[in-house]
Each structure stands twice: as structure tokens, then as C-alpha cells.
Amino acid sequence: MAAPLELSCWGGGWGLPSVHSESLVVMAYAKFSGAPLKVNVIDNTWRGSRGDVPILTTEDNVVSQPAKILNFLRKQKYNADYELSAKQGADTLAYIALLEEKLLPAVLHTFWVESDNYFTVTKPWFASQIPFPLSLILPGRMSRGALNRILLTRGQPPLYHLREVEAQIYRDAKECLNLLSNRLGTSQFFFGNTPSTLDAYVFGFLAPLYKVRFPKIQLQEHLKQLSNLCRFCDDILSSYFRISLGDG
Amino acid sequence: MSLVAEAFVSQIAGKVPFIHVGNQVVSELGPIVQFVKAKGHSLSDGLDEVQKAEMKAYMELVNNMLLTAELYLQWCDEATVGEITHARYGSPYPWPLNHILAYQKQWEIKRKMKAIGWGKKTLDQVLEDVDQCCQALSQRLGTQPYFFNKQPTELDALVFGHLYTILTTQLTNDELSEKVKNYSNLLAFCRRIEQHYFEDRGKGRLS
């Protein structure tokens, strides 16, 4: 009997099981691979202060970061990729790299750096999930972390100012969304008829962007025009998460 | 077309010092591609939309894993930093500027590593990532001469640039180049490009 697997992650809203991309990636993968996860949503009793979420705990292990958690689950024989060919496995790694380099900066910006979005939606939501005084500290820390990541990875010569970086990262993100839409076409999932790791990652990155109601929505608008990607997210939500829409 | 490809690939591989090749593979690739496009050629012109998406994805994989691993090895592995990188980076400058600049660069790189989640990685984990990346590249290449069959594209140039650098640069340990050497088709790929485009420049360095 496998040791119980517990996942600590950020909670849901706007019809999603979680509004946090990385948490969502892990939750989706667990559903696809049949891993029995006990999900512990962060709430007022949470005592962790590092914001290092999602975290998987078993009897003798604590694993953080989605890639490591997915690796761990695979080693426990919860493998959503066993039907993939070697080339498809390689493509998975490549597309995940594409998501992290081209889409993630703009998603981080939309949630954590764009002031209207951050102050009216993101910050209040995250602050409401955790106890005082962490609620005063952690959202700010996550926001600074996001800005840091964007500037350190994309703010290189000849782009020096945040404004120029902003323009570039949104251009890249829109191109990435177009590429994903082209690649998905009319298929249900990215590789055949069963969902795999790549589907978990794409879902994790896209669903919050698709569903969370923001004031500043240029990337969201672009995503909504790519109907196959929206259908992809809705299908996964209704098949694997059975959440009633109209939450939050 | 082949002249363009030759100029393209040779621009990248022509720089010898490890540090600069590592940085310049990326920074020079962009302007060269723009230049080539402006002349009415693009190496990836023959690809359809899905293939172009795949090519871009694999280029990000190379940037994400190989380039970051190279930077890690140069700047976060204490042995390499102490014996090679520090001295090389600071060599154009007089004391104490050489030390100051080298430390500053190291600090910058470490910050970046931390921001993308590589801060806590050990050398073994980094080597494992490189292995995974090489495995993916090897599987994608298969038995084809280039990544998109008969014609070289930007991806081939990028992969060649990085793998060539890894294979031909002396470091304190050979583990990085050993990882690449495990994949015979990648080795053959590098040799083939070296012979095809550089044979008139004397003996190849990959033997």
C-alpha cells in the first residue's frame, strides 16, 4: 500500500481547482496519471512561510517544484506518459521549455507585476488565503520574486527598461499561444487521445490566464481568440475536475 | 543557400574562448538570423507551421538547459570558477578590477540561477539535466542528417554551437563532455558539420 501522498497548494477560484499555475500543473498531472493525492489547500492555519508551494509530502519525503514532483510521481509508477514514443517524450521537454521561456514571463507579469491586476485581484486573493501577518508579507514577496525573474531572464541588453521588456514578453507570449494553438489543432490532447505531462503543463499555465477576471486583460483577450486552447481547458476542467463554473 | 548556412554556422563556432562562445552563441544568433532574413533567405523557410513551432520549442530547450548548464558550470561550480573562469574573465583588466568584475559577474549569474530555481541544484543534478536535454536532442535527431531532415536550420546551428563548445573546451572535469559523448548520433552530427563546413580550415578538433 503506497504511503499517502499529500499536496499542499494554493486554492481555487473562478471555476478552477487552483489559481496558481504550478499547483495546477501538479493537480492535473495527478488526475491524468491516477495518483491518489490528498490535496491540502493553504488556509488560515498554514504555518509555512517560504511560499515554496506546491509541495508534495509523503511519509519520508518532501518534494517541491513541479518538475521534481512529477518525476517523483513517475518513480512511484504514476506515469501519464507511458504511451508516448521517445520522440514525443523529447517534444514534451522542448515544449515545456518553450512555455517557461516564452509564456511564463507574461503570465507572471499579468498576475504579479501589472499594478491594476496585482492590487485589485492577485494581492487581495492571496492575502485572504493565509493568516495575518503573513498576509501582509507573502504577496509582496511573491510579486518581487516575479519581477525579479522577469528582469533577470529577459532584461538583457539591448532591453534595459521594464517597459521595453514588457512589450517584448507580451509579444513572445502571444506568439507562444499561437504556436500552441497550431500544434494542438483539432486534437483533444497534445499527443493522441490521452492526456500527458505536456497537457498538464499547458493546462496549468493557460487555465488561470483564461479564467481569472482581471482589469488588464490583453493576454487573456488574445487567448480567448484561440478557441481550441479554450476548449482544451474547459474539457479538462469538466472531465477531470468537475467544478461547477460560477465560483468566486 | 549553403553559403549562407556556412557563414551562419562559422560565425557561431569561430569564437574560441569558452565564456564568450557561450554568451555569444545566443547574442549573435539573433542579429545573424535577422540579417539572413533581410537578405531574403531564412534557414527555416522550408518548414511548415507545426515544424516551425517544434523548432522554436527545441531552441528554447537548448537555451533553457544547455546554456544555463554551461553558465552554471562556469560560474557556480567552485572548482571551475577558481581554476579557470575567474582568471579568464578578469584577464583583460588590471588588478584589482579583474577580481571585482569577476566577482560581480559571478554574483549576477548566481542571482539569475536563483530566480529560475537553479540556485539549490548540485552539480550532479545539473549534469542529469544536461543528460536529459541531450537525450531529447538525440531522440529528435534520430538517424537524420539534420534536425529537420535534409537542410540545416537555426536549430542545427544552435545545437552545433553549444555541443561543439562543450566537447572542445578544457574544464576541470570532463563530465559535461562525457554526457554529450554518450549520444553517438549527436557526436556524429557535430563531426559532420565540422567536416562539411570547416574542412578547409585544417584538422578538425573533434577526433
Side-chain angles (χ1 to χ4, degrees):
Chain A
M1 183 70 174
L5 301 165
E6 291 193 18
L7 182 73
S8 301
C9 60
W10 290 105
W14 294 278
L16 298 170
S18 173
V19 306
H20 183 234
S21 278
E22 296 188 338
S23 305
L24 208 51
V25 168
V26 177
M27 288 166 104
Y29 184 85
K31 292 279 183 188
F32 298 161
S33 62
L37 277 193
K38 182 165 172 299
V39 175
N40 294 334
V41 164
I42 289 175
D43 61 13
N44 282 321
T45 63
W46 190 50
R47 289 282 166 256
S49 65
R50 305 250 325 278
D52 242 0
V53 160
I55 299 184
L56 184 73
T57 9
T58 66
E59 256 172 35
D60 2 80
N61 283 299
V62 175
V63 190
S64 64
Q65 292 182 358
K68 289 196 196 145
I69 296 178
L70 263 54
N71 265 341
F72 181 83
L73 289 174
R74 270 184 217 111
K75 291 201 178 107
Q76 304 291 311
K77 311 286 183 227
Y78 298 113
N79 186 4
D81 294 345
Y82 66 91
E83 281 183 7
L84 296 187
S85 68
K87 180 182 174 303
Q88 288 173 326
D91 284 353
T92 299
L93 274 187
Y95 276 101
I96 291 175
L98 186 69
L99 286 175
E100 286 181 352
E101 291 292 312
K102 297 287 183 186
L103 186 58
L104 181 60
V107 171
L108 286 177
H109 189 275
T110 303
F111 274 74
W112 295 100
V113 181
E114 172 60 66
S115 332
D116 283 351
N117 294 350
Y118 173 63
F119 287 108
T120 60
V121 178
T122 315
K123 185 174 174 191
W125 190 89
F126 278 85
S128 70
Q129 304 289 302
I130 47 182
F132 179 89
L134 205 54
S135 52
L136 295 184
I137 305 170
L138 192 55
R141 195 185 290 165
M142 289 169 82
S143 169
R144 279 190 296 280
L147 182 60
N148 217 16
R149 182 172 174 145
I150 293 171
L151 287 179
L152 283 178
T153 54
R154 306 309 292 278
Q156 283 156 23
L159 302 171
Y160 287 106
H161 296 289
L162 181 60
R163 193 141 301 144
E164 291 165 16
V165 176
E166 279 170 4
Q168 180 66 45
I169 63 180
Y170 277 99
R171 266 200 295 277
D172 285 344
K174 287 175 186 166
E175 197 196 321
C176 182
L177 290 176
N178 293 345
L179 291 177
L180 288 174
S181 180
N182 280 340
R183 174 67 183 72
L184 180 65
T186 51
S187 310
Q188 198 185 5
F189 300 110
F190 280 88
F191 297 117
N193 295 325
T194 46
S196 60
T197 302
L198 181 56
D199 299 284
Y201 268 89
V202 175
F203 175 71
F205 279 65
L206 291 188
L209 196 60
Y210 174 37
K211 295 287 187 187
V212 177
R213 297 273 161 269
F214 284 119
K216 286 275 168 66
I217 48 173
Q218 55 156 321
L219 197 55
Q220 206 173 52
E221 289 292 300
H222 189 89
L223 175 57
K224 287 186 176 164
Q225 289 169 25
L226 300 167
S227 55
N228 63 345
L229 292 182
C230 298
R231 187 252 312 146
F232 171 80
C233 292
D234 285 326
D235 279 352
I236 292 181
L237 280 173
S238 58
S239 310
Y240 291 91
F241 289 102
R242 291 191 204 289
I243 305 266
S244 60
L245 300 171
D247 251 343
Chain B
M1 187 60 175
S2 63
L3 263 174
V4 167
E6 176 182 333
F8 192 174
V9 173
S10 68
Q11 259 297 71
I12 296 169
K15 315 262 192 281
V16 172
F18 183 32
I19 300 161
H20 299 295
V21 176
N23 288 336
Q24 296 205 19
V25 167
V26 176
S27 65
E28 299 227 345
L29 190 64
I32 290 175
V33 173
Q34 295 305 324
F35 173 76
V36 167
K37 275 200 177 125
K39 290 283 175 187
H41 294 293
S42 169
L43 292 186
S44 53
D45 262 349
L47 304 182
D48 65 37
E49 289 305 318
V50 173
Q51 285 176 315
K52 278 194 187 152
E54 261 186 41
M55 187 187 82
K56 293 204 169 153
Y58 275 93
M59 285 172 76
E60 290 309 328
L61 180 65
V62 171
N63 280 335
N64 206 334
M65 294 245 193
L66 285 188
L67 180 59
T68 316
E70 283 162 20
L71 286 176
Y72 179 94
L73 207 64
Q74 286 179 61
W75 292 103
C76 304
D77 174 49
E78 292 306 326
T80 314
V81 171
E83 283 186 36
I84 300 181
T85 318
H86 209 92
R88 241 195 231 191
Y89 189 79
S91 64
Y93 311 103
W95 187 91
L97 205 54
N98 56 350
H99 286 302
I100 296 174
L101 288 176
Y103 276 120
Q104 187 183 51
K105 181 77 178 178
Q106 187 179 18
W107 180 75
E108 249 176 61
I109 301 285
K110 282 192 165 164
R111 251 181 98 201
K112 180 174 166 169
M113 293 290 159
K114 194 156 165 243
I116 59 176
W118 280 55
K120 302 228 178 76
K121 283 201 183 184
T122 62
L123 183 60
D124 283 338
Q125 284 167 340
V126 171
L127 289 173
E128 214 179 281
D129 283 345
V130 170
D131 190 51
Q132 223 185 20
C133 179
C134 289
Q135 190 182 43
L137 289 173
S138 176
Q139 280 162 356
R140 180 66 186 77
L141 182 64
T143 50
Q144 298 172 127
Y146 299 106
F147 279 92
F148 288 93
N149 210 7
K150 300 273 182 340
Q151 290 288 15
T153 58
E154 287 94 328
L155 176 61
D156 298 279
L158 188 65
V159 173
F160 173 72
H162 281 287
L163 293 184
Y164 187 79
T165 307
I166 291 175
L167 290 168
T168 57
T169 308
Q170 292 281 38
L171 289 180
T172 49
N173 65 32
D174 285 330
E175 288 177 41
L176 196 57
S177 63
E178 287 307 312
K179 287 287 176 203
V180 176
K181 286 182 187 163
N182 278 335
Y183 297 96
S184 55
N185 65 342
L186 291 183
L187 209 51
F189 169 80
C190 290
R191 279 204 196 105
R192 192 183 321 119
I193 292 190
E194 190 191 30
Q195 277 162 11
H196 194 62
Y197 291 97
F198 301 104
E199 58 195 357
D200 52 341
R201 292 188 188 198
K203 216 158 102 94
R205 294 173 67 187
L206 300 169
S207 47

